[in-house]
Amino acid sequence: MNINSTSKTILIAPLNWGLGHATRCIPIIKALQENNYIPIIASDGIALELLRKEFPYLQTLQLPSYQIEYAKNGKNFKWKLLQNCPQMIEAVLEEKQTIKKWIKKYDIDGIISDNRLGVFSQKVPSVFITHQLNVMTGSTTWITSKLHQHIIKKYVECWVPDVEGTPNLTGKLGHIKKAGFKIKHIGPLSRMHKKETPKIYDLMVILSGPEPQRGFLEEKLKKEMLNYDGKVVFVKGIIEKDQKKEQIENVTYYNFMNSRQLEQTFNESEMVLCRSGYTTIMDLSKLGKKAFFIPTPGQYEQEYLAEKLKKEGLVPFAKQDDFRIENLTEIQNYKGLPQFDTPFDWKELFEVFQKKNSKD
């Protein structure tokens, strides 16, 4: 990276909710570096750990945790989030105060917040990333959507990682008729690249998301693997200090993989079994992979995306309790996700950070 006196420092802060928000920031961080910006990464928990492993040479900062927890029973998902609201609001308020200090301390020229509600400043251009202009919460969707849109309005721009027209990946999540704020659809974001490689695995299983649901699915799928004859690679999605690998009959288990290893393994696998989280969907689209989805129980967004893509004849899915390994045969009846050729002008996108601000 060529750093000179004109380089601007950009704080990029993904939400720590599973790994998706962190991983989709990876191509943005790389693009910032390629365009002569200096990224500072800020998050907490496993999201921060993952980005530290990806960018060990970049400065990283710790933000307060939102303490997001899943209910053990998916039906109680919404109520668990409501219970967590006081801690979440406290974290957002603490986040706002922290950002004020960091703007001066680290001479920050711009902010990119991926769904972190308190990462914002009126003193420097602040951008919000989300694929959820509408926030699915069942019967309360209209309220949560309006609240989310009200928060987004304070940012100078909102970047939506999807295409503007149809076909698209997010449907009504990432598309609204009247926004009242500046939206840029920047195309699907993925750290992955499609490669022509020999197929080594019949099935790749990749898990993600907060506990306890990640662990519940891991235990269920371990049992289902006993009835599968093909060669399997199973990535648990547990970020730890050291990578662990374990071979049990036809299944190779990893606790986690870095981006380079994941990209290689995706390309070496015939099909993928995973959650219907949006970042995973973007990765599968970029790689042109056929998949089977198991949405996180009670998470309306993942359930909506799984239903949308099944209805369009692209990817089958099953509820967590209903899934059986035999369901994978359904994949052959579906087209797989479309690939979008959307080369994006990062230099033009980042021009928002060239605007004058009032840091002083």
Side-chain angles (χ1 to χ4, degrees):
M1 180 176 62
N2 176 27
I3 297 175
N4 57 42
S5 59
T6 63
S7 296
K8 288 180 178 283
T9 301
I10 308 298
L11 183 76
I12 181 161
L15 179 65
N16 176 33
W17 184 324
L19 298 175
H21 295 278
T23 56
R24 73 184 184 190
C25 283
I26 290 172
I28 298 176
I29 294 166
K30 288 180 177 177
L32 283 167
Q33 291 177 291
E34 288 163 6
N35 284 274
N36 202 37
Y37 292 88
I38 305 167
I40 295 178
I41 298 165
S43 191
D44 67 285
I46 59 170
L48 187 58
E49 284 306 307
L50 180 139
L51 291 173
R52 279 175 173 157
K53 288 179 186 294
E54 290 291 326
F55 302 100
Y57 49 86
L58 287 182
Q59 184 170 10
T60 57
L61 302 172
Q62 179 101 21
L63 281 166
S65 172
Y66 283 20
Q67 299 179 50
I68 298 166
E69 295 177 2
Y70 272 71
K72 290 183 179 179
N73 186 329
K75 291 178 183 176
N76 299 326
F77 176 80
K78 193 194 305 186
W79 307 117
K80 186 69 174 176
L81 281 185
L82 282 172
Q83 281 181 324
N84 288 345
C85 266
Q87 300 101 293
M88 197 170 161
I89 291 167
E90 189 179 331
V92 170
L93 293 173
E94 188 184 337
E95 209 169 43
K96 286 181 179 178
Q97 294 306 312
T98 303
I99 295 301
K100 280 183 182 177
K101 294 172 189 171
W102 286 356
I103 296 287
K104 288 184 178 179
K105 185 175 181 180
Y106 300 105
D107 199 25
I108 290 166
D109 299 293
I111 288 171
I112 301 173
S113 167
D114 188 329
N115 278 266
R116 292 200 80 113
L117 309 180
V119 177
F120 167 82
S121 174
Q122 291 182 328
K123 296 193 172 184
V124 299
S126 299
V127 171
F128 195 77
I129 301 176
T130 186
H131 64 278
Q132 289 183 276
L133 299 173
N134 287 309
V135 180
M136 300 290 176
T137 55
S139 59
T140 53
T141 291
W142 69 277
I143 301 172
T144 49
S145 296
K146 289 295 179 188
L147 285 170
H148 201 223
Q149 290 162 23
H150 179 72
I151 290 165
I152 297 170
K153 278 181 184 176
K154 66 185 181 183
Y155 291 81
V156 292
E157 288 181 3
C158 177
W159 296 349
V160 178
D162 193 8
V163 293
E164 189 172 2
T166 54
N168 58 61
L169 295 177
T170 57
K172 59 186 177 183
L173 285 178
H175 300 82
I176 51 178
K177 289 178 182 176
K178 290 185 179 180
F181 50 89
K182 191 172 184 179
I183 297 171
K184 286 186 178 177
H185 285 85
I186 64 174
L189 286 173
S190 176
R191 54 187 167 152
M192 304 295 168
H193 297 88
K194 188 175 175 64
K195 295 177 181 177
E196 294 303 323
T197 58
K199 295 297 178 282
I200 295 174
Y201 303 103
D202 299 293
L203 176 66
M204 178 181 184
V205 178
I206 181 163
L207 304 185
S208 60
E211 301 294 356
Q213 291 297 341
R214 189 215 60 81
F216 290 162
L217 185 57
E218 179 187 334
E219 291 309 309
K220 180 181 178 69
L221 293 182
K222 278 181 176 177
K223 291 173 186 173
E224 290 296 325
M225 290 304 121
L226 299 174
N227 300 314
Y228 188 74
D229 295 329
K231 198 171 180 184
V232 181
V233 58
F234 193 123
V235 185
K236 297 177 183 179
I238 303 171
I239 303 298
E240 295 174 315
K241 185 179 179 183
D242 299 312
Q243 188 181 63
K244 296 169 189 171
K245 179 182 177 182
E246 185 182 17
Q247 186 73 40
I248 301 176
E249 295 184 353
N250 60 322
V251 185
T252 308
Y253 289 97
Y254 288 87
N255 51 348
F256 71 92
M257 287 184 175
N258 62 30
S259 291
R260 183 183 54 79
Q261 291 170 317
L262 273 175
E263 180 181 86
Q264 186 68 20
T265 308
F266 265 121
N267 279 291
E268 291 171 346
S269 303
E270 282 290 348
M271 55 187 177
V272 182
L273 176 60
C274 56
R275 295 292 194 198
S276 49
Y278 186 58
T279 300
T280 305
I281 288 171
M282 290 191 289
D283 288 341
L284 293 168
S285 171
K286 182 76 175 286
L287 296 166
K289 282 288 164 188
K290 287 202 167 189
F292 193 101
F293 290 142
I294 303 175
T296 301
Q299 192 170 336
Y300 293 97
E301 170 217 350
Q302 288 196 14
E303 290 170 351
Y304 165 77
L305 288 169
E307 286 168 4
K308 172 193 184 293
L309 296 172
K310 182 175 183 177
K311 191 176 179 181
E312 292 173 357
L314 302 175
V315 182
F317 81 92
K319 291 182 178 179
Q320 186 163 298
D321 289 343
D322 298 339
F323 177 76
R324 298 293 178 270
I325 202 69
E326 296 79 26
N327 295 145
L328 293 179
T329 58
E330 295 176 35
I331 292 176
Q332 62 192 4
N333 302 321
Y334 289 77
K335 292 182 286 187
L337 289 161
Q339 289 179 278
F340 293 94
D341 185 19
T342 53
F344 206 81
D345 189 336
W346 289 106
K347 186 178 179 182
E348 184 181 314
L349 189 69
F350 294 152
E351 277 179 6
V352 66
F353 301 122
Q354 298 299 330
K355 295 176 183 176
K356 289 184 179 180
N357 55 61
S358 55
K359 271 195 293 183
D360 302 326

